[in-house]
Amino acid sequence: MSEKIKILIVEDEMIIAANISLQLNELGYEVTGIVPRGEEALMHIKSEAPDILLLDINLKGNLDGIETALEMQKNHDIPVIYLTANADDVHFNRAKETHPYGFIAKPFKKLDLQRAIELTITQISCKDDNKTDVESQNTEAFILSDCIFVRHLNSMVKVNIIDILYIEAERNYCRIFSNNKEYLLVMTLKEMDKKLPARHFLRIHRSYIINISQIKEISTSHIVIGRKAIPISKSLKKELLKRLQTI
């Protein structure tokens, strides 16, 4: 892959597209084009294939974003990041069939765009490394008794378990919140839950795993860790209270 990542923007709202293009340029990426229709995107890809496709789901024209991705994937293997103002289950389930690298919900911040692209680049790099690097065949996190090594860009970063506050699901990603930093992993919360040491962590909600030792307050419907109020389901609250009695 070239040093400068090439990105094609497929977005039919030109003000949004122009703003994305400006942000991408500021982040150091090369925008190969801005096109408003899926049909035009397919033509563009034939002449100048980008490294990443930023694709609005709700395109006007004969093809919506998901149909455009399906057509593109017949001849090209280009990572897709979807842009969407409609993140309902119907669209999400359709989009999953195209195996996207990410979803960005509108309206979004520059940081959301930056993180989605960095995650995609990391996944591409890991795919490439799999051919020659045994380490890359492992998952995005290595769990030890007192720490977790998480993949950040092209290296593994150590995160001490005592510093982890909680972990939050973001669809097919999960975000680790520690005392000092956040880490976004290409791993579902369910997968992460299986790997974490049970004596330290408990899943208290479909979207949250907490570090039990970091709890500051337990309320009727939530617990507090740091300054974050985290919802807790009734059934899992019983499990939490049971665990606290044995610590």
Side-chain angles (χ1 to χ4, degrees):
M1 188 177 292
S2 62
E3 194 171 355
K4 207 165 189 179
I5 300 295
K6 297 178 180 179
I7 301 176
L8 173 63
I9 301 169
V10 188
E11 167 64 65
D12 55 15
E13 295 184 52
M14 286 298 104
I15 294 177
I16 293 176
N19 185 45
I20 292 171
S21 179
L22 180 63
Q23 291 177 351
L24 292 177
N25 286 322
E26 289 175 351
L27 291 168
Y29 302 115
E30 178 183 339
V31 176
T32 65
I34 299 174
V35 295
R37 300 286 186 271
E39 297 88 342
E40 293 175 52
L42 296 174
M43 293 297 294
H44 180 99
I45 289 167
K46 285 182 181 178
S47 60
E48 188 175 358
D51 298 310
I52 296 172
L53 195 60
L54 274 180
L55 183 58
D56 184 21
I57 287 181
N58 298 304
L59 292 174
K60 296 166 186 170
N62 295 326
L63 300 174
D64 67 11
I66 298 168
E67 291 166 337
T68 300
L70 289 169
E71 283 297 314
M72 178 274 291
Q73 289 171 347
K74 291 178 181 178
N75 299 301
H76 302 275
D77 184 19
I78 300 172
V80 172
I81 300 173
Y82 283 118
L83 307 171
T84 179
N86 189 352
D88 61 31
D89 289 341
V90 174
H91 283 84
F92 179 65
N93 289 330
R94 280 185 63 218
K96 277 199 304 184
E97 298 301 314
T98 65
H99 306 289
Y101 281 63
F103 287 83
I104 305 177
K106 298 177 185 178
F108 55 85
K109 300 176 183 177
K110 183 178 179 180
L111 186 59
D112 298 327
L113 184 65
Q114 180 180 357
R115 283 174 171 168
I117 293 171
E118 286 182 359
L119 273 172
T120 300
I121 293 169
T122 300
Q123 291 181 75
I124 296 169
S125 298
C126 287
K127 272 189 173 181
D128 293 340
D129 291 346
N130 277 343
K131 298 172 184 176
T132 54
D133 191 345
V134 174
E135 179 185 291
S136 296
Q137 295 174 10
N138 293 301
T139 62
E140 293 293 315
F142 300 98
I143 316 296
L144 303 179
S145 59
D146 62 346
C147 66
I148 299 174
F149 282 88
V150 298
R151 188 175 294 282
H152 181 66
L153 300 179
N154 292 320
S155 61
M156 301 300 290
V157 179
K158 181 180 179 180
V159 183
N160 291 319
I161 281 178
I162 58 172
D163 292 331
I164 295 174
L165 302 175
Y166 60 92
I167 304 167
E168 183 177 2
E170 290 193 12
R171 293 194 180 275
N172 53 331
Y173 307 134
C174 61
R175 191 183 300 278
I176 294 178
F177 290 83
S178 72
N179 284 317
N180 304 313
K181 198 171 180 180
E182 298 175 22
Y183 301 91
L184 196 57
L185 300 185
V186 187
M187 181 183 295
T188 65
L189 198 68
K190 184 178 180 180
E191 292 170 331
M192 177 59 80
D193 191 28
K194 292 177 181 178
K195 295 177 179 292
L196 289 169
R199 61 194 177 94
H200 293 290
F201 295 94
L202 179 67
R203 187 169 184 174
I204 63 167
H205 185 271
R206 63 184 180 183
S207 298
Y208 291 96
I209 295 172
I210 62 162
N211 187 339
I212 297 172
S213 65
Q214 296 284 358
I215 297 174
K216 288 187 175 181
E217 179 185 330
I218 301 176
S219 184
T220 305
S221 59
H222 67 272
I223 60 115
V224 177
I225 292 181
R227 296 180 180 179
K228 174 77 171 179
I230 300 172
I232 181 170
S233 65
K234 289 182 179 180
S235 59
L236 292 173
K237 184 177 181 181
K238 293 179 181 179
E239 175 63 23
L240 173 61
L241 294 174
K242 188 185 300 182
R243 290 279 296 277
L244 289 173
Q245 290 172 2
T246 61
I247 293 177

